[in-house]
Amino acid sequence: MPYNISLSEEGAVTIATIRGTIIGPDDRETIQGRFQELLEEGRTSLLLDLGQVTFVDSGGIGGLIAISNL
């Protein structure tokens, strides 16, 4: 099952919930791009909810780590 991202707000915090699987460089680039967009919109308090991710390969892990450096 591919992943999807849903956003919700809790006060000043934007919660990004990812569901499904994160595999390969395409998913990684798309997720990083989405988080870059959120930052450019001024959303600087971000919480990443991975509770419903069922699988992440090494490329996906690299992408998630890269998000912390944006």
Side-chain angles (χ1 to χ4, degrees):
M1 169 176 148
Y3 75 92
N4 67 47
I5 301 174
S6 61
L7 301 177
S8 61
E9 302 287 330
E10 193 68 42
V13 177
T14 300
I15 302 167
T17 301
I18 301 179
R19 293 174 180 84
T21 60
I22 305 171
I23 301 173
D26 290 339
D27 288 351
R28 179 177 119 182
E29 290 175 16
T30 303
I31 291 170
Q32 284 177 292
R34 184 64 182 121
F35 275 83
Q36 184 66 45
E37 290 171 6
L38 291 170
L39 291 171
E40 290 171 2
E41 291 172 7
R43 300 182 193 200
T44 56
S45 296
L46 299 171
L47 175 71
L48 182 58
D49 177 1
L50 300 173
Q52 297 182 40
V53 172
T54 56
F55 180 80
V56 182
D57 72 356
S58 60
I61 290 172
L64 295 172
I65 292 170
I67 289 171
S68 68
N69 293 319
L70 292 176

